[in-house]
Amino acid sequence: MPVTIFTSLLMTIIFQIAYTYKWWIIHEQIVPWGYMIDVSFVYGIFSVGTFWIFRLTSHKFILYTAVNLIMDAFMAFVTLPLLGVLGIATYENMSPWQYFLVMFGLSFVIYGYHKWQQKIYKSD
């Protein structure tokens, strides 16, 4: 659970940076401040996905990396372009490859945080 909360914090920061630099534009939102942070994504599907990916793969780094590679590629090259076609969100000053690299890089930060958490809460 700490990884999920940490990931939500990081995604909130990434969305704030994305809003400032117009990496992408959110056209449809469910809350008034949704033009800055896609609440349904960051605190919904992304958090749930992060939880389950960690729960099922964190014991094997290669498996974790492979699953993240596939999921991040699917998000960058399939899902977000589809959201653009639907008029929900569009890439602006960021390419799908750049988005992929940011998200895939984030997965290593998250894994490092997880390992650090395991070490400090190790039961003796």
Side-chain angles (χ1 to χ4, degrees), residues 3 15 17 30 46 69 75 80 85 92 95-96 98 106 113:
V3 167
F15 266 85
I17 294 168
I30 60 171
F46 194 80
L69 181 80
M75 186 67 180
L80 284 177
V85 170
E92 193 70 25
S95 71
Q98 290 169 319
L106 181 65
Y113 175 80

Side-chain angles (χ1 to χ4, degrees), residues 50-105:
T50 299
F51 175 81
W52 282 109
I53 288 171
F54 248 89
R55 181 81 173 115
L56 299 173
T57 67
S58 66
H59 57 283
K60 292 189 178 183
F61 181 72
I62 299 297
L63 178 62
Y64 170 79
T65 302
V67 169
N68 271 287
L69 181 80
I70 293 165
M71 295 304 292
D72 293 340
F74 183 78
M75 186 67 180
F77 302 114
V78 177
T79 304
L80 284 177
L82 179 62
L83 293 178
V85 170
L86 297 174
I88 297 171
T90 54
Y91 287 114
E92 193 70 25
N93 292 325
M94 179 178 258
S95 71
W97 274 105
Q98 290 169 319
Y99 178 85
F100 170 75
L101 291 174
V102 168
M103 291 300 116
F104 192 57

Side-chain angles (χ1 to χ4, degrees), residues 1-8 51 110 113-114 117 121:
M1 199 61 169
V3 167
T4 304
I5 295 167
F6 179 66
T7 303
S8 295
F51 175 81
I110 294 166
Y113 175 80
H114 168 69
Q117 286 286 300
Y121 290 113

